[in-house]
Amino acid sequence: MPETFFGWVLFLLEKYGGLFLRGTGVTLLVAISGTVFGFLLGLLVAIARTITPAPRASRGKRFAIGALRALLGVYIQVFRGTPMIVQAMVIYYGAMQYLNITMPEIAAAILIVSVNTGAYMAEIIRGGIISIDRGQTEAAHSIGLTHWQTMTGVVLPQAVRNILPSVGNEFIVNIKDSSVLNVISVSELFFQSKSAAGTYFRYFEVFFITGCIYLVLTLLVTQALRLLEKKLEGPDHYVICGSQSDSKSVITITEEQ
């Protein structure tokens, strides 16, 4: 058996490398799926919460919009105010006990992360919507666009660019927080690490490897998001058509000719 720290690390990587890879794959699957579905859920919730009844709307319509906004507000407060590990236990075992539904662990994990992420995304997206000049919304409504058309065609393309760093942070958080799903036997990276550590009782070395894997994943995601942000910003050097600098260049070229 190995006698040094790095000897144990290499031994465990050789013996349980497959476990670490499978756990990493499940972690990425849950984090990516949960973030994507959570973003879509948060997008719908944020758009719904920005709906305001028209001045001449009936009482029934005003009540329905108010009830919807209140219900969505409760959803956001509940899932932002409770830990994901508790939500996992309540949703998974609650469905099993009271609805007689036994969900596959991976499906349950994606559902839990999606619903949890959706609550945070709803507030992030709502903040992005609010950051856009209200005059653009009023102008869109003045030319006959509906609330949905205004959001999807005018406001959201700008808002998504503003909230991209926050969306990236949620993705990174989901990579790390997926470890709590081991309580419902999801075989993600932390769960697989516990299995590897229990054989030789080398918890320090195993979780050192696990920590390095989480660190590499988060660093790669952070770098990818920075590249995406830079891509969306466009080139550093450009000339605006019709600007004074553009006109001067045209004049200079003409004089040289």
Side-chain angles (χ1 to χ4, degrees):
M1 302 300 290
E3 296 181 357
T4 64
F5 169 75
F6 289 106
W8 272 105
V9 169
L10 293 175
F11 172 78
L12 292 168
L13 281 173
E14 182 179 357
K15 191 171 184 63
Y16 297 111
L19 283 180
F20 289 123
L21 286 176
R22 284 195 294 273
T24 302
V26 173
T27 293
L28 286 175
L29 172 63
V30 172
I32 294 173
S33 302
T35 303
V36 171
F37 292 136
F39 178 82
L40 296 176
L41 176 60
L43 183 64
L44 294 176
V45 172
I47 292 176
R49 295 190 75 203
T50 59
I51 297 175
T52 54
R56 298 181 180 180
S58 62
R59 290 184 178 180
K61 189 173 183 178
R62 287 176 178 273
F63 175 80
I65 293 175
L68 176 63
R69 295 178 66 175
L71 182 63
L72 295 177
V74 171
Y75 155 67
I76 292 172
Q77 293 301 324
V78 168
F79 280 90
R80 291 180 68 193
T82 55
M84 187 187 291
I85 189 170
V86 175
Q87 297 166 14
M89 300 289 282
V90 169
I91 292 174
Y92 183 75
Y93 292 107
M96 186 184 299
Q97 183 173 344
Y98 290 101
L99 301 178
N100 199 27
I101 298 175
T102 302
M103 292 185 286
E105 287 80 6
I106 297 297
I110 294 174
L111 173 63
I112 292 161
V113 175
S114 299
V115 176
N116 178 273
T117 303
Y120 288 92
M121 287 292 187
E123 287 298 279
I124 291 172
I125 296 172
R126 189 175 69 89
I129 292 173
I130 294 173
S131 69
I132 304 303
D133 184 10
R134 186 171 179 80
Q136 298 189 39
T137 302
E138 294 174 351
H141 288 164
S142 68
I143 62 175
L145 296 182
T146 64
H147 183 74
W148 176 261
Q149 291 172 329
T150 301
M151 286 292 113
T152 56
V154 178
V155 177
L156 286 177
Q158 303 174 71
V160 169
R161 170 63 187 85
N162 295 339
I163 66 174
L164 186 60
S166 297
V167 175
N169 287 339
E170 279 300 308
F171 182 32
I172 292 172
V173 168
N174 285 341
I175 290 176
K176 296 181 293 183
D177 284 359
S178 62
S179 60
V180 306
L181 298 172
N182 74 93
V183 297
I184 58 172
S185 301
V186 177
S187 56
E188 41 71 53
L189 180 57
F190 185 83
F191 183 89
Q192 299 285 20
S193 299
K194 287 198 304 181
S195 302
T199 304
Y200 295 97
F201 298 100
R202 307 301 299 192
Y203 288 92
F204 179 73
E205 291 84 355
V206 168
F207 285 102
F208 174 81
I209 296 171
T210 304
C212 289
I213 294 174
Y214 278 119
L215 181 60
V216 169
L217 290 178
T218 55
L219 289 176
L220 289 175
V221 170
T222 300
Q223 187 62 32
L225 289 170
R226 287 177 180 173
L227 292 174
L228 179 59
E229 288 179 33
K230 188 174 181 180
K231 182 74 173 178
L232 293 176
E233 287 175 357
D236 295 330
H237 304 287
Y238 57 89
V239 177
I240 301 175
C241 295
S243 65
Q244 292 182 357
S245 58
D246 187 43
S247 300
K248 290 178 181 178
S249 63
V250 172
I251 293 172
T252 303
I253 294 172
T254 305
E255 290 176 350
E256 290 178 354
Q257 292 176 348

